[in-house]
Amino acid sequence: MVIVKRKELSLAEKLYLPEVLRGLSVTFRKMFEPKVTRQYPEEPLPKTEVTRGQPRLVVNEDDAIACVSCGLCEAACPAYAITIDGGETDRAIEREPKRFDIDMLRCILCGFCEEACPKDAIYMSDELELADYSREALIYDIEKLKRPKAALQKRIDYVNRINKRWQTPSST
Amino acid sequence: MADALFYVMAVAAVLAALGVVLAKNPMQCVLSLLASFFALAVIYLLAGFQFLAAAQILVYAGAILVLFLFTIMLLNLGNPGSEDPTDVRMFSRANAGLMVVVAAALLFVAALGVRRAGPLPVAASTPKTGLDPIPALAGEMFGRYLLPFEAISVLLLATAVAVVVLAKRDRRPNEGGRT
Amino acid sequence: MTTLEGFLIALAKTVVIFLGVVNVAALMTLAERKFSAWMQYRIGPNRVGPYGLLQPLADGVKFIFKEELTPAGANRFMFRAAPILAALPSMMTIAVIPFAPDIVIGGKNFGALTIADLDIGILYILALGGLAIYGVILGGWASNSKYSLLGSLRASAQMISYELTLILTILSVVVMSGSLNLREIVEAQSDITRWNAWNVHAMPQFVAFVLFVVATFAETNRHPFDFSECEPELVGGFHTEYSAMKWAMFYIGEYSAMTVMAALTVVLFLGGWSVPFWPDAPWYVGLAAMLAKTGCFLFLFLWVRWTLPRFRFDQLMRLGWKVFLPLALLNLVVTGAVVSLR
């Protein structure tokens, strides 16, 4: 059995009014302290390379994506947000996705696809805003997912740096 | 116009009073009573008794009727007839008799006081402008009519105490618990 | 002064005061959100108009266009009448509050800035103020919901309990100033050299003042006594089932009741329009003083709400009947004794 010992109140505390005044003074002082509110659309959140936004497909210097539709990201995705239909291509990589859809309403921004990708084709961008008038419009296809490499360069460098830290000599 | 308003209000007061008696739903009874009080207050105002009108609304509409409403909502008298008849066994004859005697005595004292003081010359003390000066009213109430006034107060207090005693009674554990 | 002229002056005063109160009530909704935000390190509404000043307007538009719902099994007539009954009394009580002394423009005296200079002003306020509770009770009862019913039950018990304290403290002031007319009460206080001048300032009615202010909080169902709408237990209390403009009516009633109570506190205890050490101040200074003092009390309403936790219902009742009522009664007896011995 737990016996709670209550604090014995002094007379001033029992009268309550002095304590009320004390509380009022606290709230009054707080009124003039700096505000923590962020005026969101005007003052967006600071974004760094660590920010894990929505996944995007990197468009390399040859104006094509590096994806070979191996399906590893599809398998890694815990939310089953990725759908890939593979196909052949005349390019040196021989295979490319005919369809690469990410359902942004299912995506949980976990970054597993980025980790799984063996061809450095998919990276987490710093884009976070997601709004549209229909569910269908939020299933992004390849065209909507494409981003030039320059836009994602900071994230790519960061991921490579982190990955290098965990690489053991034998695994390279 | 004042005359017309008086007749309208008089009819309204009577109709509302009828509503109190005839309405099936206790809530409607109380609201009819409220309407009746208001009509009465307006009639007081027309007769030039501002204080009486205000007191009527303040005491009856503002306090007593609210208590009625409170009780009705607590009892949940949604469908009349489903409640048990009030248990009257808790009135012991001796107590009830004693109470009646005391009440009668108090009423007698009040009546005696009023008789000794004689009727209040309302028409003379009230100016035609329709204002009842509060100091004059207070003077009458706490001077000439002090005894009946206090006797009625004691009677009301006795009633309140009696109600508390009656309500508390059947909760004593050694008397077989609640009824 | 002709009859027509007198009628026009009365009409002008009515319009000015009534519009003033309604607008203050609307602005109070904004002020409530602004001050609560500032006390919590936030900014508050600032999107509609400069500094969010048009927020009440946007709220009003929203209320008008919202869907009105009537719960099944509700008593339709009462359900509709209750919001009106809640809003009306507090708007009517403003009629006897004097806001400024005799207005003199261009050498012409237009009389004091009050709609009705009643000899029984205080009784009028108490009588009508006591009726505000019908809106709450009927609204809760007609909703056919247990939360609403519990909320209105609590509200009625609470308002009756604290009305006694309110009346007794007001009586102490009446005993000191010897009048039920609010204008005369202010005038009795305005002379700083007299012993009962500035009722609170000169300390004689300090107890009554504190009791009165606390009782106004209970009477207007404001924090920390807002049991009728105690959100964690009763959803929304008596207005749980209300929506759209009907719901807004309850709030208009609450905020105008706050405005009236704040003005009444100033009139009874803080000398109304009188300015300290400037006995013959012109009327516009008096009006400004009155509004400033009232504003302070309106701020107090908000300030307390965002500071104190809600009481428990039995604590409230115990406080009302076992502490406040005896204190107010004692204060009245002592005041009466002192006044009659002088």
Side-chain angles (χ1 to χ4, degrees):
Chain A
M1 200 173 92
V2 183
I3 297 172
V4 180
K5 264 203 138 174
R6 289 190 193 279
K7 186 175 154 261
E8 196 70 24
L9 295 180
S10 69
L11 182 68
E13 285 168 334
K14 273 184 189 155
L15 276 177
Y16 197 62
L17 270 179
E19 295 294 299
V20 169
L21 295 180
R22 218 156 63 92
L24 287 176
S25 77
V26 169
T27 40
F28 195 77
R29 268 182 276 123
K30 297 293 173 198
M31 269 173 51
F32 303 101
E33 286 186 15
K35 314 296 177 215
V36 296
T37 310
R38 183 175 294 279
Q39 298 283 312
Y40 166 61
E42 291 91 18
E43 282 177 52
L45 282 165
K47 288 168 181 169
T48 65
E49 65 273 23
V50 186
T51 306
R52 214 167 57 212
Q54 296 160 6
R56 291 289 182 264
L57 294 175
V58 182
V59 178
N60 287 318
E61 288 79 3
D62 59 350
D63 282 344
I65 55 175
C67 178
V68 294
S69 66
C70 65
L72 280 179
C73 55
E74 197 177 11
C77 183
Y80 306 112
I82 303 178
T83 313
I84 301 174
D85 287 343
E88 292 188 3
T89 178
D90 297 335
R91 286 156 56 211
I93 54 174
E94 290 181 3
R95 278 174 66 79
E96 67 171 14
K98 294 290 168 219
R99 172 179 168 214
F100 192 111
D101 289 350
I102 301 182
D103 187 345
M104 282 305 165
L105 293 174
R106 304 189 73 160
C107 175
I108 57 170
L109 314 183
C110 64
F112 283 7
C113 48
E114 181 188 63
E115 273 183 47
C117 187
K119 304 299 281 183
D120 293 349
I122 189 166
Y123 277 99
M124 309 305 281
S125 67
D126 60 1
E127 292 165 45
L128 283 162
E129 278 144 20
L130 184 73
D132 214 308
Y133 291 100
S134 71
R135 287 170 181 277
E136 289 71 32
L138 289 168
I139 300 174
Y140 283 14
D141 59 12
I142 297 179
E143 288 312 308
K144 275 186 175 169
L145 289 170
K146 270 183 177 172
R147 285 291 179 277
K149 193 171 187 183
L152 296 165
Q153 196 57 53
K154 269 165 82 181
R155 175 73 186 180
I156 295 171
D157 294 345
Y158 167 76
V159 171
N160 288 343
R161 201 171 76 234
I162 295 296
N163 284 353
K164 223 168 255 153
R165 189 184 294 169
W166 303 115
Q167 272 168 357
T168 53
S170 62
S171 70
T172 45
Chain B
M1 194 192 125
D3 276 354
L5 191 55
F6 168 77
Y7 285 114
V8 171
M9 282 302 145
V11 171
V14 172
L15 285 182
L18 277 177
V20 178
V21 190
L22 298 179
K24 287 243 164 50
N25 188 334
M27 210 66 172
Q28 278 170 10
C29 293
V30 172
L31 290 177
S32 305
L33 199 56
L34 180 67
S36 175
F37 284 159
F38 261 97
L40 263 185
V42 174
I43 291 174
Y44 289 150
L45 267 185
L46 288 175
F49 295 109
Q50 284 188 357
F51 179 82
L52 198 57
Q56 164 92 6
I57 292 181
L58 177 62
V59 175
Y60 284 100
I64 291 182
L65 264 189
V66 173
L67 278 180
F68 282 12
L69 274 181
F70 192 70
T71 321
I72 286 174
M73 290 202 297
L74 270 183
L75 291 179
N76 195 17
L77 293 174
N79 32 350
S82 67
E83 294 292 317
D84 292 333
T86 320
D87 190 4
V88 290
R89 277 173 301 172
M90 55 191 170
F91 288 90
S92 90
R93 263 159 210 273
N95 276 353
L98 190 66
M99 272 169 6
V100 167
V101 168
V102 170
L106 280 168
L107 272 180
F108 181 71
V109 170
L112 208 66
V114 172
R115 200 186 151 82
R116 262 187 44 198
L120 181 65
V122 175
S125 74
T126 316
K128 267 278 169 247
T129 49
L131 301 173
D132 45 350
I134 288 143
L137 191 71
E140 293 292 346
M141 204 183 250
F142 292 102
R144 189 160 24 170
Y145 290 98
L146 183 61
L147 182 65
F149 183 71
E150 291 299 328
I152 294 291
S153 308
V154 174
L155 182 61
L156 284 177
L157 181 66
T159 321
V161 172
V163 167
V164 172
V165 170
L166 286 177
K168 277 260 170 193
R169 198 135 199 226
D170 58 337
R171 298 216 178 141
R172 252 185 242 158
N174 59 352
E175 285 187 5
R178 297 170 177 224
T179 47
Chain C
M1 199 184 288
T2 60
T3 326
L4 179 68
E5 205 177 334
F7 174 74
L8 284 180
I9 290 173
L11 188 69
K13 283 179 186 171
T14 311
V15 169
V16 166
I17 291 179
F18 192 74
L19 281 185
V21 170
V22 173
N23 278 316
V24 166
L27 279 178
M28 281 296 284
T29 60
L30 174 66
E32 176 124 64
R33 293 160 71 177
K34 272 285 186 193
F35 283 120
S36 72
W38 291 343
M39 285 172 191
Q40 297 165 353
Y41 308 120
R42 294 184 290 112
I43 295 174
N46 62 352
R47 296 278 157 177
V48 196
Y51 304 102
L53 276 175
L54 297 179
Q55 186 71 40
L57 212 63
D59 288 343
V61 170
K62 190 189 85 170
F63 282 134
I64 290 171
F65 286 109
K66 275 226 162 189
E67 186 188 2
E68 296 221 5
L69 296 171
T70 308
N75 185 323
R76 275 166 188 279
F77 174 71
M78 308 271 191
F79 192 74
R80 266 174 216 174
I84 302 170
L85 279 177
L88 208 56
S90 44
M91 289 192 184
M92 283 169 77
T93 45
I94 204 73
V96 292
I97 303 265
F99 283 94
D102 288 5
I103 299 174
V104 183
I105 301 173
K108 200 163 167 11
N109 191 338
F110 290 97
L113 183 57
T114 166
I115 296 176
D117 189 13
L118 284 186
D119 278 336
I120 52 159
I122 284 182
L123 276 177
Y124 173 85
I125 284 190
L126 289 176
L128 282 176
L131 296 182
I133 189 175
Y134 279 100
V136 175
I137 292 189
L138 291 181
W141 178 79
S143 298
N144 192 29
S145 150
K146 58 188 161 209
Y147 299 118
S148 305
L149 187 68
L150 280 173
S152 57
L153 270 178
R154 288 178 174 194
S156 52
Q158 171 188 345
M159 282 167 118
I160 291 178
S161 313
Y162 278 82
E163 202 154 76
L164 286 173
T165 310
L166 211 62
I167 292 173
L168 285 175
T169 48
I170 289 178
L171 275 184
S172 316
V173 175
V174 170
V175 165
M176 287 189 79
S177 51
S179 171
L180 289 173
N181 185 317
L182 290 168
R183 185 176 48 78
E184 285 170 20
I185 288 176
V186 172
E187 278 161 8
Q189 299 173 73
S190 58
D191 183 3
I192 194 91
T193 51
R194 273 179 58 193
W195 67 286
N196 61 352
W198 273 73
N199 272 342
V200 92
H201 201 71
M203 295 299 285
Q205 287 297 338
F206 187 71
V207 178
F209 173 65
V210 172
L211 293 181
F212 182 85
V213 170
V214 179
T216 50
F217 279 82
E219 192 67 10
T220 49
N221 280 324
R222 285 289 297 186
H223 235 88
F225 304 125
D226 59 342
F227 295 98
S228 52
E229 45 191 283
C230 178
E231 293 91 353
E233 299 161 42
L234 299 177
V235 192
F238 62 90
H239 55 57
T240 302
E241 305 291 347
Y242 278 91
S243 51
M245 214 49 206
K246 287 195 205 119
W247 184 84
M249 290 287 275
F250 278 117
Y251 264 65
I252 292 173
E254 181 179 326
Y255 282 102
S256 25
M258 276 161 64
T259 315
V260 173
M261 280 301 181
L264 189 63
T265 317
V266 172
V267 165
L268 289 177
F269 292 98
L270 293 180
W273 63 70
S274 51
V275 186
F277 310 114
W278 191 6
D280 46 357
W283 65 272
Y284 43 86
V285 177
L287 178 61
M290 173 77 192
L291 294 182
K293 291 176 194 175
T294 310
C296 289
F297 272 95
L298 284 176
F299 174 64
L300 184 72
F301 272 108
L302 307 182
W303 189 11
V304 166
R305 171 162 181 193
W306 298 104
T307 303
L308 297 182
R310 187 181 286 121
F311 275 61
R312 220 169 51 213
F313 192 64
D314 62 314
Q315 291 173 329
L316 172 89
M317 281 297 163
R318 204 175 56 212
L319 188 71
W321 289 100
K322 291 190 176 168
V323 181
F324 275 28
L325 190 60
L327 268 182
L329 207 55
L330 188 70
N331 184 59
L332 179 61
V333 169
V334 171
T335 309
V338 169
V339 168
S340 60
L341 286 179
R342 280 183 63 86

